[in-house]
Protein backbone atom coordinates (compact mmCIF):
# COMPACT_ATOMS: atom_id res chain seq x y z
CA UNK A 1 0.00 0.00 0.00
CA UNK A 2 1.45 3.32 -1.03
CA UNK A 3 0.46 6.32 1.02
CA UNK A 4 0.56 9.77 -0.48
CA UNK A 5 1.87 12.87 1.31
CA UNK A 6 -1.64 13.79 2.45
CA UNK A 7 -2.12 10.49 4.22
CA UNK A 8 1.22 10.82 6.02
CA UNK A 9 0.20 14.25 7.28
CA UNK A 10 -2.78 12.65 9.03
CA UNK A 11 -0.30 11.05 11.44
CA UNK A 12 0.39 14.53 12.81
CA UNK A 13 -2.96 14.31 14.62
CA UNK A 14 -1.40 11.80 17.04
CA UNK A 15 0.97 14.28 18.77
CA UNK A 16 -1.85 16.79 18.99
CA UNK A 17 -4.29 14.34 20.57
CA UNK A 18 -1.86 12.52 22.90
CA UNK A 19 -1.52 15.32 25.51
CA UNK A 20 -5.30 15.33 25.91
CA UNK A 21 -5.02 11.86 27.44
CA UNK A 22 -2.59 13.16 30.06
CA UNK A 23 -5.38 15.30 31.52
CA UNK A 24 -7.16 12.12 32.66
CA UNK A 25 -4.26 11.17 34.96
CA UNK A 26 -4.27 12.12 38.61
CA UNK A 27 -1.42 14.64 38.89
CA UNK A 28 0.08 13.44 42.18
CA UNK A 29 -0.07 9.64 42.13
CA UNK A 30 1.60 7.25 41.19
CA UNK A 31 5.24 8.40 41.48
CA UNK A 32 7.71 6.30 39.46
CA UNK A 33 11.26 7.16 40.64
CA UNK A 34 9.80 9.85 42.91
CA UNK A 35 8.50 11.95 39.99
CA UNK A 36 4.72 12.19 39.43
CA UNK A 37 3.40 10.16 36.49
CA UNK A 38 1.98 13.37 35.03
CA UNK A 39 5.51 14.59 34.18
CA UNK A 40 6.56 11.21 32.75
CA UNK A 41 3.57 11.28 30.42
CA UNK A 42 4.40 14.79 29.23
CA UNK A 43 7.94 13.66 28.48
CA UNK A 44 6.55 10.68 26.56
CA UNK A 45 4.31 13.03 24.56
CA UNK A 46 7.34 15.14 23.62
CA UNK A 47 9.25 12.08 22.44
CA UNK A 48 6.20 10.83 20.54
CA UNK A 49 5.85 14.22 18.83
CA UNK A 50 9.49 14.18 17.74
CA UNK A 51 9.23 10.60 16.43
CA UNK A 52 6.00 11.15 14.48
CA UNK A 53 7.17 14.47 13.04
CA UNK A 54 10.45 12.87 11.93
CA UNK A 55 8.69 9.96 10.23
CA UNK A 56 6.23 12.24 8.45
CA UNK A 57 8.98 14.61 7.36
CA UNK A 58 11.06 11.80 5.88
CA UNK A 59 8.12 10.18 4.11
CA UNK A 60 6.88 13.45 2.62
CA UNK A 61 10.45 14.38 1.60
CA UNK A 62 10.78 11.10 -0.32
CA UNK A 63 7.46 11.73 -2.06
CA UNK A 64 8.63 15.06 -3.47
Amino acid sequence: MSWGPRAWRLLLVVPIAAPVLVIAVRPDRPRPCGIPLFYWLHLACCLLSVAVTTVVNRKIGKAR
Side-chain angles (χ1 to χ4, degrees), residues 17-31:
V20 174
L21 300 175
V22 175
I23 294 170
V25 175
R26 209 172 138 197
D28 192 39
R29 298 269 182 218
R31 290 178 167 262

Side-chain angles (χ1 to χ4, degrees), residues 25-41:
V25 175
R26 209 172 138 197
D28 192 39
R29 298 269 182 218
R31 290 178 167 262
C33 299
I35 300 172
L37 184 65
F38 180 78
Y39 294 111
W40 287 109
L41 291 176

